[in-house]
Amino acid sequence: MSLKAWYRPVIIWCVSLVFVAASCKKEAQAPKPGEQQTTTFTNPLLNAAPDPWVVQKDSTYYYLHTLGNRIQIWKTSRMSRLKDVTPVTVFSASATGGNSRDIWAPELFFLNNKWYIYYTASDGNDRAHRMWVLENTNADPTQGSWTDKGALVTQPADLWSIDGTVFQQDTTLYLIWSGRPFAGGPTDLTQNLYISRMSSPFRLAGQTVKISSPGYDWEKRGFAVNEGPEILRNPAGRVHLVYSGSYCGDDRYSLGLMTLKEGSDPLIPANWTKSPNPVFTGLASANAFGVGHNGFFKSRDGKEDWVIYHANSAAGEGCDDSRNVRMQKFSWTSDGLPIFGEPVATGRSVDVPSGE
């Protein structure tokens, strides 16, 4: 037998081993049974989940919502599978003190290479509601320790304040929140939107500036409220502010829109333009009542924009733990305004965000 004739079957045998190995590797990397079929989800994602918030860092999403006496973080790579995540508790309220009750609307931000949680709290007295800050230097906010940085004191007067969110323009940080001046006396429950410059992620440095008051009828149902402010940038980078209007326990609670003049100073109220009508409202046929207090995120591949929000599934359920969290994709007009459409009905199959 020639040498050539001898090594031909050996080569065929080795090539076969390569194909077998590749096949085994492919099988090992394949999704688990069941996961492979998960291309849709249904709303609601979670029950008893008011005031949802999500932030994305790299390929990971961190989700939070109001729990009342603690703060938890859900960590996931697939927002459509939020219900499968076991949350991590990062803060528990003490028995007494200014942040011992009403732990509401936590929001997580990565600023100056540290994580910060902004949340509302009180000592149980409504007039004591203020915004508070936690700090974590760990790269993963579900790990490491959280340091209490205290309350965010508004200037020049320390006023009732809730729903703080951070807005960064170039290198400057601003805080936007919902506040009550009690200008009409102790029974005046009007809530406005305010902004202030920050000297650090846990300190306000500038004067408090009012940028919005509830003036339209749709903002005054129950009582006059502007709250839950959230920054939304369109594909061209234009700054919008989406907020919730009317009392949260009213079935007509809805989302409104403000737009900042391009390249302008956000501390000048005239630079903000408010749309006269709500941009996202409830829909009885979708089992969506009192829609509001939202957040935004991109799909994993960055191709889609999604809104996450809470709603009640039946009329008259009020402003409590009956609210559940939902999400849906949205688009943009040619002028760069968001198109949220109508709430997607509960139980309806929705395609998962692209890239999941």
Side-chain angles (χ1 to χ4, degrees):
M1 180 185 295
S2 68
L3 181 61
K4 183 177 181 180
W6 177 82
Y7 69 68
R8 183 181 295 117
V10 174
I11 292 174
I12 294 172
W13 178 75
C14 291
V15 170
S16 299
L17 282 180
V18 170
F19 278 109
V20 169
S23 176
C24 291
K25 182 179 180 181
K26 182 177 181 182
E27 182 177 352
Q29 293 178 342
K32 297 178 182 178
E35 289 186 349
Q36 192 171 356
Q37 310 301 320
T38 307
T39 58
T40 63
F41 71 95
T42 58
N43 283 317
L45 298 174
L46 295 172
N47 291 311
D51 310 329
W53 167 261
V54 62
V55 64
Q56 180 182 8
K57 189 174 186 299
D58 302 321
S59 59
T60 302
Y61 298 96
Y62 300 99
Y63 166 88
L64 305 86
H65 66 242
T66 289
L67 290 163
N69 62 355
R70 66 195 186 283
I71 297 174
Q72 294 182 322
I73 299 176
W74 282 250
K75 178 182 176 181
T76 183
S77 61
R78 301 176 66 183
M79 283 299 294
S80 65
R81 301 292 293 273
L82 197 59
K83 65 181 179 181
D84 298 329
V85 177
T86 300
V88 175
T89 299
V90 298
F91 172 79
S92 295
S94 58
T96 60
N99 60 344
S100 60
R101 300 287 187 276
D102 303 334
I103 310 301
W104 297 342
E107 296 194 4
L108 176 67
F109 290 87
F110 190 67
L111 305 168
N112 302 336
N113 294 314
K114 297 178 183 179
W115 288 102
Y116 293 90
I117 293 177
Y118 299 83
Y119 66 100
T120 299
S122 79
D123 60 3
N125 177 3
D126 177 62
R127 291 184 70 92
H129 281 103
R130 296 294 187 272
M131 300 172 294
W132 295 71
V133 188
L134 302 170
E135 180 187 73
N136 189 345
T137 60
N138 198 288
D140 183 343
T142 64
Q143 305 295 322
S145 59
W146 285 90
T147 302
D148 184 355
K149 304 301 286 187
L152 281 163
V153 181
T154 60
Q155 306 292 335
D158 180 20
L159 297 177
W160 188 98
S161 53
I162 67 170
D163 296 351
T165 194
V166 174
F167 166 42
Q168 183 166 355
Q169 187 177 59
D170 299 321
T171 59
T172 304
L173 295 178
Y174 300 90
L175 191 79
I176 304 176
W177 70 93
S178 177
R180 289 179 188 161
F182 292 105
T187 60
D188 183 4
L189 301 180
T190 299
Q191 290 177 221
N192 307 311
L193 296 182
Y194 297 92
I195 187 171
S196 177
R197 186 175 61 83
M198 307 179 79
S199 59
S200 76
F202 49 87
R203 185 165 290 110
L204 301 180
Q207 297 292 303
T208 295
V209 177
K210 183 172 67 175
I211 56 174
S212 177
S213 292
Y216 297 110
D217 288 344
W218 74 266
E219 300 174 292
K220 300 178 181 180
R221 292 157 177 168
F223 55 89
V225 174
N226 284 175
E227 65 181 11
E230 304 297 349
I231 293 294
L232 173 63
R233 297 178 188 270
N234 72 12
R238 185 81 180 271
V239 175
H240 298 294
L241 178 66
V242 180
Y243 66 96
S244 301
S246 288
Y247 168 52
C248 63
D250 193 291
D251 289 341
R252 298 164 294 179
Y253 187 68
S254 302
L255 294 183
L257 181 72
M258 296 172 61
T259 301
L260 180 64
K261 182 180 178 181
E262 291 190 70
S264 67
D265 185 349
L267 294 174
I268 299 177
N271 290 335
W272 293 93
T273 301
K274 181 189 285 190
S275 298
N277 300 308
V279 293
F280 193 53
T281 62
L283 185 65
S285 61
N287 301 315
F289 301 86
V291 301
H293 206 114
N294 61 290
F296 304 102
F297 67 93
K298 288 276 190 180
S299 58
R300 285 193 63 183
D301 60 9
K303 295 180 180 179
E304 296 175 349
D305 289 291
W306 287 71
V307 58
I308 190 166
Y309 61 97
H310 74 223
N312 285 317
S313 294
E317 289 186 330
C319 188
D320 212 333
D321 284 346
S322 57
R323 293 172 293 178
N324 49 64
V325 64
R326 309 157 185 224
M327 70 180 194
Q328 62 190 69
K329 186 168 59 174
F330 70 94
S331 58
W332 302 90
T333 69
S334 58
D335 294 330
L337 297 174
I339 305 173
F340 297 119
E342 297 179 338
V344 174
T346 55
R348 173 184 160 190
S349 292
V350 181
D351 290 338
V352 301
S354 58
E356 285 199 1

